[in-house]
Amino acid sequence: MASSRILPEFELLLPQNIKEAVSALGKLKSKASVMAGGTDVVISCTKGFGSPNVISLAEIPGLDYVVYDSKKGLRIGAMATLQQVADNADVKKRYPALQRACAINGTPQTRNMGTVVGNIMRASPSGDCICAVLAIGGKIVLQGPKGKREVNIDDFYLKYRETACKADELAIEIKLPAISAKNAFARMTRTTLDLSKVNVACSLVMSGKTVKEARVAVGAVAPTTIRLKKVEAILKGSQITDEVLQKVVATVPTEIKPIDDVRSTAEYRRDVAGVMVKRIILEALGK
Amino acid sequence: MAESVIGKRIPKVDSREKVTGQAVYAGDMRMPGMYYGKVVRCWEHAHAKVKKLDFSAALKVPGVVKIIGPDDVTKKPYNTTVMKLLVPEIFGEVFGEIADLNIFNRVVKHQGDAICGVIARTEEAAERAAAKIKVTYEPLPVYMTVEASKAEGKKKNGYLFTPLKPGNLAFDLPESFFPGKRYGWNDKDGKTAEQLFSKCDYIIEDTFYVPKQKQCQMENHSYVAHYDERNRLNIWTSTQMPKPVQVLIAELFELPLTRVRLTQTTVGGGFGVRLGMIGEPHACAMAMAVPGHPVRMEFLREEDWVASETRYPGHIWLKMGFKKDGTPVAVDAMYSARKGGYYTHGSGPPFCAAAFLHGMYKWQALGMQTEGYFTNEVPTGAYRGYGNPQITFAAEQMITKMCNELGLDEIEWRKKWHKSIGDETWLKGVTFASDGLNDCLDVAAKEFGWYEKKKKYAKQTGVKRRGIGLAVMQHTSGAFPMLLEHSVCTAKLNEDCTVELIQQISDLGTGGHTVITQMAAETLGFPMEDIHLKSGDSDMCGFDIGAHASRTIYCAGPATIEACESVKKQLLERAAQLLEANVADLEMKDKIISVKGNPQKSISAVKIAKEGVYNYIDAATGKTIGIPGQIQGYSSFFAKHCSPPYGACMSEVEVDIETGEVKVLNLVNGHDIGKAIHPPSVEGQLEGGAQQGLGFVLTEEYAYDSKGRVLNNDFTDYKMLGPSDMPKAKIILVETAPDPIGPMGVKSCGESALMGPIGSVANAVYDAIGIQIKEAPITPEKVLKAIKEQGLRK
Amino acid sequence: MKKRAITLTINGEEYSLNVPVHHTLLQVLRDHLNLTDVKYGCGRGECGACTVLLDVGKGKRKPILACIALAATMDGKSITTAAGLSKDGTLHPVQKAFVDESAIQCGFCTPGMVLKSVSILEKNSKPTEEEIRFGLEGNICRCTGYAKIVTAVQAASKKMAAGKR
């Protein structure tokens, strides 16, 4: 269908605090879209997928935090932009996977507008932040009429573009655990500025040369970004040898269900996802 | 004399207004009483009949002024192109231009066909109303390939895109003009290429695919049209071809030229997409429906992908025969193109592909066929290179492969066998007057380190493999004698001895306005600041065919020079009269005309200019002071040659053999410019052209769904190389072969930049992995598949 | 609400506007205020032609896209467009460098490209070529291949550094 420079009309709500926002969302539920940076909501509107109400978080103060605590880990507020997270020293040091996913996301302009929480909530199977957070592990803090709850990222994505967030719930924060795991993110695109045709991230807790814990996530190869459980099992307790990596490369295609689309082919994604996982493991370990 | 500005790196004349955002593009225009026009297009189908059109709900939208459909506008069919004005009648018959397009359509032949138009007080009202127009379609089967279209056309009652072209065959080369339906020539004994293959030691034959690429100029097509109270139709547009488009509009709406005024606004990029009409008929039709009110109409970005023309995609088959020492003997070829839904340029670009194959090497015989079948795709038309990128992609890969297999040095082979001075250019009957290719090859090889790299990359192991590639090209400077190359310039000497150049120069960002001003300044010996170019207004400017075929400086520059020479001559003649000297003895320096060797005997040109205008007559004596009459120079210039420039491009790639990804690391392009009047502009053409060439060979192509709808009508999924993707490009302007015919020695550079990068990157990939990827764009998907299926060959 | 009264400062001038809430900043600039130096290139945040600089306090500015920003959410904000970069007829050093290096062809991307370049240098006064190229991502130019634009940003960087000394 044709899009338009002119957005469809909607009611704009500009709550001044979270309580007002949650209350508005509680009333409107699926008749409202929540807008943080606007990079997704406005573009959806141009394509005619707007909703009759837009709840903007723009005027709620204090939601743009990125805070790290050595015990509690990292907290990212709903209005923290991708650029803010990319520029954060703690994120650079401890969560390089997330840092990279933010730093290459979209364009400098959209990184100044778009938020990490928004990227997570968009639930695109190729979402770069999703892939990084899924590998690192984390929780999404949701606030609804009945209060706050936290959903583990592992349980958050139900199916294509569908999450555990209910229509009356507002995502206010992402929490990442304090980790010592070595983590990294990479993606494959057609050009530098692009959406991922495949993205991968891993987080490895090492004990000497042996992998103690492993989380490996891959995106754009299934209806949601997924963890590669078989690959993780191979890695756990192993040393990263050529043999193990070969096994990883061979296993990855058995865990993914890619499709053909305008960005790539299912065949190609199957062919390269394993290579990308191999490379991201080596990158995380600084090899 | 003012210091020469030729060859100087001076700021462009229009850069200040552009850098502050003050340059006015058509979409920026705001006028009193202005309405907004919105074209309603078919987005759902690529092939359908319009069964019902219901405006009732839309007309109730507040702010709507009028909605017009197929019955409210002229039913005269038209063609978007300006071909019929460009080509002599005899060629017109060959190309068989037909008019098969309507302003608003009852049959949809491709996604994006225009159905009706909404005129409203605001864009918002127009959009809201457009959304409420109910169009009922009867979908028809879609034909997206040559095979499907051909098969359908063969059926007795098969669907015909137009009754004017039976069998869905949009074009081929007519037997009457091209024996064997081939463009080319036979050897000295009259043998055809086909007949000569039996005498060859080495024959190579292959089929290549070239993509449907989009120009992607940054300014969307925008127009303001105004049917004014004097019954004149005014149109503001960024067309590349202002004069011919004015004529086409006049013909379409059956108005004399005095009643059509076309103003060319700042052109936000062209690259061929504006080589004819796009939205002009719709904007004009809407304006004529609301006389007295200007109507602004701006395309959406996604409309550009479905409602303006693209490069011709298709398959190119080539068969080449050589002697074992590499002597080129014969080439036979076929370019089978998907035409899209309308005829537009017909056989133009494929024919030119044949012509550029003809213009490159010294074959003893050559024959190339072209054909195009209608498909339910966005129509194809002009795009920078006009057939040359396509044939270069295929032919240069073949030449490199031949050199590899015969053990020949590919640089030396190209030096030896390319056409040179006295040989026939791309068009029969016109011979090369200059040739700088060997110098291009030498400087490029040196800069690039060709032979060092060749050695270095001979044996590689590891995941990332380097490869280097070479391609050469020849193009054209204007399209004489195939097309009309006529430009008119009037140089008006103001009374303060500054000059108003009145000349239509289509500057698409290329620097044309700057270069023309430089040429005028140089000719007159005046400073640049004393020259102002007035361009863009059909009421004022004389004829100019427009910006196409890399012609502007080569074909319009001489008109500027002639007009300025005339001004200078008139000044000198008056000075001679006043100084009682011979014109031949005079010289002009800093606007002072003096007798050579006797500077005291002089007169100011400023005085002559002033007295020419303010020439008072003494009532008593009837005598005047000075010589009366404002000086004007005039030229109506017809180019009589096409001085093809050469170019040699070398590029280096890195191929990841585990992922198939290709990274272009660097690129050196030596270009046979003849003389660079404004070097930064020439470099800019070559640097920018490289981005489009690399896009052709690596990333750019339309994607369609099974119903013929474009899947990537945005920058998210139509991928062009960005700033970080572009390799370091070294452009070398070779000026060792100034053209004896081109003004001040120039040859063209507007389109030349694409071919080298396309062919050289394809060859570099071939060099890296030992496999030729014959389908452009060369995506990682294709590379990896080829490696998987064929194994690394190097 | 369907309309909102906002105060928006553009190039140092304060505007009191009553904007329909579904209007983008681009629409408000181009169609309400006729500030056409901000261009429509794609309308979807892909091309950067509509880039403006948003003041974020402490003399800092960051580039955003007018085509996907809702004007109604920008109450109290201050923005700079290409027309506001030059003062009293004197070009900003980045604009000057674009002119001097012939980094401009058709000019349509130029206002956004110049603003983006300013933001790159405001964040990092001595960027590497790679940083400049990566910083320019999101601003599409189809004419120049970015070569002379990169050169212009490098030249401006040098000039501005010299000016500070």
Side-chain angles (χ1 to χ4, degrees):
Chain A
M1 245 341 261
S3 73
S4 171
R5 259 185 294 266
I6 311 289
L7 308 186
E9 285 187 34
F10 48 74
E11 284 282 344
L12 178 68
L13 290 90
L14 283 156
Q16 300 296 308
N17 53 52
I18 291 179
K19 205 176 145 195
E20 277 180 34
V22 171
S23 153
L25 191 57
K27 279 180 211 139
L28 296 164
K29 299 195 176 71
S30 58
K31 283 185 206 123
S33 28
V34 176
M35 186 173 106
T39 52
D40 288 327
V41 173
V42 175
I43 293 170
S44 296
C45 283
T46 65
K47 294 178 183 171
F49 301 118
S51 54
N53 299 281
V54 172
I55 302 174
S56 164
L57 307 183
E59 297 192 355
I60 303 178
L63 276 183
D64 60 347
Y65 55 86
V66 185
V67 190
Y68 178 75
D69 179 288
S70 62
K71 282 185 189 130
K72 290 182 189 157
L74 185 73
R75 292 167 53 231
I76 300 170
M79 286 301 283
T81 62
L82 292 151
Q83 193 61 50
Q84 250 180 292
V85 176
D87 288 345
N88 183 282
D90 290 309
V91 175
K92 273 183 191 164
K93 195 170 158 195
R94 295 165 208 282
Y95 307 97
L98 180 63
Q99 195 276 336
R100 184 86 188 132
C102 293
I104 48 78
N105 207 302
T107 72
Q109 291 95 318
T110 59
R111 288 197 289 277
N112 285 331
M113 302 172 82
T115 62
V116 172
V117 173
N119 194 274
I120 300 282
M121 293 306 294
R122 185 162 188 262
S124 161
S126 62
D128 294 324
C129 292
I130 293 170
C131 184
V133 173
L134 198 58
I136 293 165
K139 284 173 180 164
I140 291 103
V141 182
L142 303 171
Q143 189 157 342
K146 290 173 195 158
K148 263 190 212 176
R149 69 179 180 122
E150 293 181 359
V151 182
N152 195 308
I153 188 90
D154 291 331
D155 307 321
F156 194 64
Y157 297 104
L158 307 176
K159 43 184 157 171
Y160 176 69
R161 301 293 302 266
E162 231 182 274
T163 72
C165 181
K166 295 187 186 120
D168 60 359
E169 287 181 314
L170 180 71
I172 57 169
E173 185 181 290
I174 306 279
K175 284 161 81 167
L176 269 59
I179 52 165
S180 57
K182 294 177 183 302
N183 58 86
F185 165 91
R187 63 175 192 167
M188 186 178 281
T189 54
R190 293 163 295 185
T191 59
T192 300
L193 170 53
D194 198 3
L195 300 169
S196 296
K197 56 170 114 161
V198 181
N199 53 20
V200 294
C202 74
S203 175
L204 306 169
V205 180
M206 303 299 290
S207 170
K209 284 188 172 175
T210 306
V211 178
K212 237 171 86 187
E213 295 291 337
R215 290 175 68 99
V216 180
V218 52
V221 292
T224 66
T225 304
I226 54 169
R227 277 178 62 190
L228 301 177
K229 297 290 174 71
K230 286 196 234 166
V231 169
E232 290 174 3
I234 293 167
L235 293 171
K236 193 171 170 174
S238 303
Q239 296 199 1
I240 304 300
T241 59
D242 284 348
E243 207 185 337
V244 167
L245 287 173
Q246 268 176 26
K247 222 164 137 188
V248 166
V249 172
T251 305
V252 172
T254 68
E255 292 199 79
I256 60 176
K257 287 195 184 76
I259 55 164
D260 286 342
D261 64 15
V262 68
R263 274 156 223 153
S264 188
T265 63
E267 181 188 353
Y268 181 75
R269 288 174 162 122
R270 258 194 302 276
D271 287 342
V272 299
V275 174
M276 291 176 69
V277 170
K278 173 184 81 178
R279 289 181 183 181
I280 204 65
I281 290 167
L282 293 171
E283 190 189 321
L285 298 177
K287 290 183 183 176
Chain B
M1 186 157 119
E3 199 193 334
S4 172
V5 286
I6 300 301
K8 296 283 159 62
R9 307 184 81 86
I10 49 173
K12 293 195 201 177
V13 295
D14 55 355
S15 52
R16 219 188 135 96
E17 71 216 38
K18 285 178 173 174
V19 83
T20 53
Q22 304 310 300
V24 177
Y25 301 83
D28 297 334
M29 293 182 62
R30 307 288 184 264
M31 288 162 77
M34 179 181 275
Y35 288 155
Y36 191 88
K38 162 93 188 164
V39 173
V40 176
R41 303 186 181 280
C42 176
W43 291 92
E44 301 91 324
H45 306 286
H47 198 189
K49 276 186 190 153
V50 176
K51 299 301 279 185
K52 213 179 135 200
L53 207 47
D54 179 0
F55 300 156
S56 56
L59 283 166
K60 289 178 191 148
V61 172
V64 169
V65 176
K66 217 172 214 180
I67 301 177
I68 56 173
D71 295 335
D72 306 311
V73 295
T74 173
K75 293 198 171 58
K76 203 173 163 183
Y78 67 97
N79 186 317
T80 55
T81 74
V82 298
M83 278 301 188
K84 65 178 172 193
L85 307 178
L86 291 176
V87 300
E89 220 160 277
I90 183 159
F91 281 122
E93 278 169 27
V94 171
F95 295 125
E97 179 178 303
I98 59 165
D100 57 349
L101 182 62
N102 291 292
I103 296 177
F104 297 126
N105 297 277
R106 292 211 175 271
V107 178
V108 172
K109 292 180 189 168
H110 64 86
Q111 187 192 26
D113 245 340
I115 306 299
C116 58
V118 181
I119 305 146
R121 288 199 188 88
T122 64
E123 181 180 5
E124 183 153 5
E127 283 285 354
R128 299 282 183 252
K132 291 199 166 161
I133 288 173
K134 288 191 198 107
V135 191
T136 312
Y137 293 105
E138 179 194 328
L140 298 167
V142 295
Y143 306 103
M144 301 297 286
T145 62
V146 165
E147 294 69 33
S149 179
K150 205 182 217 171
E152 186 64 20
K154 269 187 186 161
K155 287 185 195 166
K156 202 179 168 198
N157 292 316
Y159 173 78
L160 304 177
F161 276 74
T162 162
L164 299 170
K165 292 283 175 182
N168 288 350
L169 177 64
F171 65 84
D172 58 1
L173 297 180
E175 183 71 41
S176 57
F177 207 82
F178 298 99
K181 297 199 164 202
R182 282 168 168 82
Y183 178 76
W185 71 95
N186 299 340
D187 80 346
K188 56 185 189 324
D189 303 324
K191 293 244 167 50
T192 66
E194 271 177 304
Q195 290 165 336
L196 284 180
F197 284 122
S198 61
K199 292 185 177 170
C200 295
D201 304 322
Y202 173 86
I203 290 170
I204 181 171
E205 182 179 348
D206 233 320
T207 301
F208 297 81
Y209 174 77
V210 290
K212 189 170 177 73
Q213 188 185 21
K214 191 77 193 113
Q215 297 87 350
C216 292
Q217 77 301 332
M218 288 313 294
E219 181 210 4
N220 292 285
H221 310 301
S222 303
Y223 312 89
V224 175
H226 182 202
Y227 194 74
D228 69 19
E229 299 298 351
R230 289 192 180 196
N231 294 328
R232 296 188 89 211
L233 178 59
N234 301 269
I235 170 105
W236 288 262
T237 161
S238 54
T239 179
Q240 292 177 224
M241 313 286 275
K243 182 67 195 182
V245 167
Q246 180 207 11
V247 174
L248 292 190
I249 289 170
E251 283 182 2
L252 181 59
F253 295 101
E254 298 176 75
L255 297 169
L257 286 173
T258 47
R259 282 178 58 202
V260 178
R261 179 188 186 186
L262 186 144
T263 308
Q264 185 188 39
T265 49
T266 311
V267 185
F271 319 120
V273 73
R274 289 165 173 151
L275 215 151
M277 297 194 290
I278 307 168
E280 285 89 348
H282 310 84
C284 289
M286 287 195 272
M288 290 175 84
V290 288
H293 289 271
V295 175
R296 187 172 92 238
M297 179 182 125
E298 285 180 81
F299 272 39
L300 292 167
R301 174 53 64 181
E302 70 196 76
E303 273 183 281
D304 187 28
W305 264 279
V306 297
S308 67
E309 295 158 14
T310 76
R311 200 181 286 294
Y312 280 56
H315 286 91
I316 296 177
W317 168 83
L318 278 168
K319 184 176 178 184
M320 293 176 170
F322 302 85
K323 294 285 183 194
K324 58 176 175 282
D325 66 356
T327 304
V329 179
V331 55
D332 199 12
M334 164 60 124
Y335 184 170
S336 181
R338 306 199 308 267
K339 184 69 206 72
Y342 292 100
Y343 186 78
T344 67
H345 288 241
S347 63
F351 171 81
C352 288
F356 292 122
L357 179 67
H358 173 287
M360 194 64 231
Y361 298 118
K362 296 174 178 172
W363 303 98
Q364 291 168 23
L366 176 149
M368 181 158 169
Q369 301 180 71
T370 73
E371 64 173 17
Y373 279 85
F374 286 115
T375 55
N376 292 113
E377 294 173 277
V378 178
T380 49
Y383 185 175
R384 201 173 188 183
Y386 209 77
N388 205 352
Q390 291 98 315
I391 195 67
T392 303
F393 175 74
E396 286 298 284
Q397 286 201 68
M398 301 268 282
I399 295 297
T400 291
K401 189 173 182 185
M402 174 277 297
C403 287
N404 285 354
E405 298 196 345
L406 295 181
L408 303 169
D409 180 308
E410 60 178 305
I411 294 180
E412 292 305 320
W413 188 91
R414 286 176 170 97
K415 278 187 185 173
K416 184 169 178 187
W417 293 110
H418 78 271
K419 288 186 170 180
S420 192
I421 297 168
D423 293 327
E424 209 163 53
T425 64
W426 62 278
L427 211 69
K428 287 182 179 178
V430 182
T431 55
F432 278 92
S434 62
D435 164 18
L437 183 59
N438 288 355
D439 291 338
C440 290
L441 280 161
D442 286 340
V443 294
K446 191 168 174 232
E447 174 71 31
F448 185 82
W450 175 266
Y451 289 105
E452 295 84 341
K453 282 181 174 151
K454 197 89 200 161
K455 213 181 256 173
K456 197 171 152 197
Y457 301 148
K459 282 192 184 117
Q460 297 178 72
T461 53
V463 173
K464 304 211 169 162
R465 304 284 174 91
R466 297 279 177 98
I468 59 172
L470 161 67
V472 300
M473 69 101 221
Q474 114 284 170
H475 200 66
T476 192
S477 307
F480 173 86
M482 188 170 87
L483 306 183
L484 176 74
E485 294 298 359
H486 180 199
S487 283
V488 173
C489 177
T490 303
K492 182 180 70 170
L493 188 70
N494 294 320
E495 51 265 52
D496 63 353
C497 205
T498 60
V499 171
E500 193 70 29
L501 282 183
I502 302 159
Q503 185 173 14
Q504 175 55 52
I505 297 291
S506 289
D507 186 333
L508 318 185
T510 48
H513 285 184
T514 304
V515 174
I516 289 294
T517 310
Q518 283 175 281
M519 285 178 146
E522 179 74 8
T523 306
L524 287 158
F526 289 4
M528 282 269 287
E529 307 80 73
D530 286 358
I531 314 288
H532 175 250
L533 173 66
K534 170 68 191 175
S535 177
D537 184 349
S538 70
D539 275 3
M540 185 174 270
C541 298
F543 190 85
D544 177 79
I545 204 76
H548 79 112
S550 303
R551 73 176 289 275
T552 302
I553 305 309
Y554 182 87
C555 298
T560 314
I561 292 171
E562 280 187 1
C564 291
E565 277 171 348
S566 163
V567 168
K568 190 175 174 182
K569 184 166 168 265
Q570 292 176 60
L571 275 171
L572 293 177
E573 280 169 356
R574 289 191 190 184
Q577 202 179 325
L578 294 165
L579 294 171
E580 293 174 349
N582 291 321
V583 171
D585 296 334
L586 297 180
E587 62 182 1
M588 180 161 66
K589 212 175 180 183
D590 296 328
K591 297 191 181 175
I592 303 291
I593 302 166
S594 59
V595 177
K596 287 174 198 165
N598 185 5
Q600 274 75 44
K601 202 172 174 189
S602 70
I603 186 166
S604 158
V606 179
K607 186 171 160 32
I608 296 174
K610 190 176 175 187
E611 287 175 352
V613 173
Y614 302 107
N615 195 265
Y616 305 106
I617 299 171
D618 186 321
T621 64
K623 281 185 179 166
T624 64
I625 300 161
I627 299 164
Q630 180 164 17
I631 291 176
Q632 292 205 57
Y634 175 81
S635 168
S636 177
F637 178 82
F638 294 84
K640 289 172 193 67
H641 204 276
C642 66
S643 305
Y646 272 113
C649 183
M650 294 171 184
S651 56
E652 177 174 1
V653 302
E654 185 175 84
V655 181
D656 185 326
I657 60 168
E658 287 183 344
T659 65
E661 289 172 293
V662 175
K663 192 171 167 54
V664 183
L665 301 173
N666 67 71
L667 187 142
V668 175
N669 203 351
H671 183 68
D672 172 26
I673 187 66
K675 173 72 193 168
I677 306 295
H678 187 243
S681 287
V682 182
E683 291 160 4
Q685 286 305 297
L686 291 151
E687 291 158 352
Q691 191 261 3
Q692 297 183 12
L694 294 175
F696 174 109
V697 73
L698 293 174
T699 59
E700 296 183 31
E701 179 165 36
Y702 270 65
Y704 280 102
D705 72 7
S706 60
K707 291 180 175 165
R709 295 174 299 200
V710 184
L711 287 168
N712 54 351
N713 57 1
D714 54 32
F715 295 130
T716 299
D717 282 317
Y718 185 91
K719 295 319 286 186
M720 299 182 285
L721 300 197
S724 333
D725 306 311
M726 281 300 290
K728 263 196 183 310
K730 172 80 182 171
I731 305 300
I732 306 171
L733 305 183
V734 174
E735 295 185 308
T736 53
D739 194 77
I741 297 156
M744 301 182 179
V746 305
K747 286 175 266 189
S748 75
C749 64
E751 297 169 279
S752 299
L754 278 78
M755 282 65 88
I758 288 171
S760 70
V761 166
N763 275 333
V765 172
Y766 167 44
D767 184 50
I769 61 174
I771 308 167
Q772 278 187 328
I773 308 294
K774 292 160 197 160
E775 290 186 14
I778 299 176
T779 60
E781 284 77 4
K782 289 174 193 165
V783 173
L784 193 63
K785 201 173 168 130
I787 294 174
K788 249 167 63 180
E789 287 171 3
Q790 303 177 40
L792 279 179
R793 301 235 180 121
K794 197 184 169 186
Chain C
M1 70 185 94
K2 295 263 183 189
K3 272 194 167 189
R4 191 183 194 207
I6 61 163
T7 305
L8 187 63
T9 303
I10 306 163
N11 299 330
E13 262 185 73
E14 197 178 284
Y15 292 79
S16 293
L17 306 164
N18 196 20
V19 294
V21 297
H22 65 285
H23 282 196
T24 62
L25 177 61
L26 182 65
Q27 212 174 337
V28 168
L29 294 172
R30 287 183 63 80
D31 292 339
H32 296 217
L33 302 173
N34 294 335
L35 299 175
T36 55
D37 57 318
V38 187
K39 302 296 182 196
Y40 163 83
C42 72
R44 291 202 189 155
E46 297 165 340
C47 79
C50 68
T51 299
V52 299
L53 296 181
L54 174 69
D55 287 21
V56 288
K58 294 175 192 164
K60 289 196 169 163
R61 305 187 279 194
K62 61 182 188 180
I64 61 163
L65 299 169
C67 75
I68 54 169
L70 287 186
T73 65
M74 299 195 65
D75 185 30
K77 306 277 194 216
S78 173
I79 61 167
T80 308
T81 73
L85 275 181
S86 51
K87 285 211 175 64
D88 305 325
T90 307
L91 297 180
H92 183 283
V94 170
Q95 289 176 312
K96 177 102 179 19
F98 269 63
V99 170
D100 290 345
E101 300 295 331
S102 291
I104 304 157
Q105 287 191 31
C106 87
F108 199 80
C109 77
T110 305
M113 197 66 83
V114 163
L115 290 162
K116 181 60 136 345
S117 303
V118 168
S119 78
I120 292 170
L121 295 176
E122 284 186 351
K123 195 167 174 177
N124 174 5
S125 62
K126 285 181 188 162
T128 62
E129 180 176 340
E130 202 183 334
E131 285 167 341
I132 294 169
R133 286 179 179 274
F134 192 65
L136 290 172
E137 286 290 344
N139 287 67
I140 300 178
C141 169
R142 189 60 155 169
C143 295
T144 64
Y146 305 97
K148 296 214 184 309
I149 293 174
V150 172
T151 313
V153 179
Q154 288 171 323
S157 163
K158 271 185 205 147
K159 276 259 170 68
M160 286 161 82
K164 270 183 195 159
R165 252 181 257 137

